[in-house]
Amino acid sequence: MNMAEGLYRTMRLIRRFEERAIELVHAGEIIGGIHPYIGQEAIAAGVCAALRDDDVITSTHRGHGHVLAKGADPVRMLAELTGRATGLNQGRGGSMHAADFSKGIYGANGIVGAGGAIATGAAWAAVKEGSDRVAVSFFGDGAVNQGVLLEAFNLAALWRLPVLFVCENNGYATTLTVAQAVAGSITARAEAFGIPAVSVDGADAAAVLDAARDAVARGRTGGGPSFIEATAYRFDAHHTWEHKARVRYRADEEVAAGRSRDPLDIQGVRLDAETRAGIDADTETLMAEAVAFALDSPRPDPAGALDHLYATGLRGRDGIGLLDTAVR
């Protein structure tokens, strides 16, 4: 399979995963909803295509695309979202905290900007080990004013760490536009720390891949951190809660214009029709398997609610309290 096919396959998987997940939210099978990644698939696909299995990523509340693009099993990932014991994290992580250390996925993260510090720490650890691994931190435009992210920029630049900061600028921090929230430019924040920064079309997976390859090569060879701003448009809601609340902060015309540049179509036209149709069919089969597996899987035993709370294996005291309530 060539790179063009691989990028499209990853993007198609992310798109159909998110669409099936939304269906499960509406059916009451995914509790609490999700933050759909629809419209931004090219960013995760392009960046992760430049990485090795042992490279590390940190993700966001809108993290399904990153986790899938880095190689997590979509079947177990969907089971995780539905809170099943067969999930990537035994149903304990859910949508916003899915992780798979075996694939270098150091977790989605519900705290805005927090992954930047974790990725910087992972990059520092790689240097200390004498490894040429790189770490990638994905975050949204809403994170660029967070202190922890700016502190991560500073340490990464000061210590010349192999970390790639990827800002997914979809134009909105929840409902707040970038113009209302961000003074100056996003790339200038990285440049102020001496970090090379570029802005790319986040709807074009090939463009993202080219930028990511340059940044990853720089990191592997001791050139220090890099920054990519990938501009895109979020096709769906910030959170599926909006499907019920009917919050209106984007004009219909704006959404239509944003959807007119579909990342899947941009990448899809680089394939012949037969190849694209074959990938689409394979994806449908895989997602049908994933949904069936998730819904047929058992939910975690409430008696184990306190398992893994302490690194030592210490368990909470039985009795009237959290454990007793969970068992009831």
Side-chain angles (χ1 to χ4, degrees), residues 62-110:
R62 198 180 312 283
H64 307 162
H66 312 138
V67 174
L68 292 171
K70 191 59 171 66
D73 180 359
V75 175
R76 293 185 60 214
M77 177 66 174
L78 195 61
E80 183 63 30
L81 266 60
T82 57
R84 269 29 182 216
T86 55
L88 284 177
N89 311 112
Q90 302 174 28
R92 297 170 181 271
S95 172
M96 286 198 289
H97 298 94
D100 186 347
F101 284 13
S102 72
K103 295 293 184 179
I105 303 166
Y106 281 20
N109 200 314

Side-chain angles (χ1 to χ4, degrees), residues 121 144 173 272:
V144 299
D272 62 74

Side-chain angles (χ1 to χ4, degrees), residues 4 34 48 52 73 85 92 116 216 218 220-221 239 245 247 253 270 272 284 286 292 294 302 327:
I34 65 170
C48 290
R52 300 190 314 226
D73 180 359
R92 297 170 181 271
V216 168
R218 182 181 300 114
R220 290 206 202 285
T221 55
H239 186 273
V247 180
E253 295 78 10
R270 295 166 178 155
D272 62 74
E284 290 307 305
L286 177 58
V327 172

Side-chain angles (χ1 to χ4, degrees), residues 112-113 139-147 149-150 153 166-169 178 181-187 189-190 227 229:
V112 174
F139 51 90
D141 50 272
V144 299
N145 296 322
Q146 293 294 318
L149 186 62
L150 300 177
F153 291 173
V166 180
C167 176
E168 299 185 291
N169 180 0
V178 171
V182 179
S185 76
I186 288 176
T187 52
R189 281 160 168 71
F227 184 101
E229 177 193 20

Side-chain angles (χ1 to χ4, degrees), residues 119-167:
T120 299
W124 176 85
V127 170
K128 290 298 182 182
E129 293 169 4
S131 169
D132 67 347
R133 290 195 314 272
V134 301
V136 176
S137 171
F138 291 98
F139 51 90
D141 50 272
V144 299
N145 296 322
Q146 293 294 318
V148 65
L149 186 62
L150 300 177
E151 291 170 16
F153 291 173
N154 184 61
L155 289 179
L158 189 65
W159 297 338
R160 296 185 64 80
L161 297 177
V163 56
L164 168 57
F165 297 101
V166 180
C167 176

Side-chain angles (χ1 to χ4, degrees), residues 15 18-19 22 36-41 170 203 232-238 242-243 250-266 276:
R15 175 68 59 89
E18 296 292 69
E19 289 173 344
I22 290 171
Y37 194 67
I38 297 172
Q40 299 176 218
E41 298 91 346
N170 64 21
Y233 193 79
R234 169 168 52 80
F235 286 11
D236 207 283
H238 167 71
E242 292 180 25
H243 295 172
R250 303 190 294 184
D252 292 342
E253 295 78 10
E254 177 191 319
V255 176
R259 284 176 167 270
S260 69
R261 297 193 71 247
D262 191 321
L264 270 70
D265 290 338
I266 292 172
R276 183 174 182 179

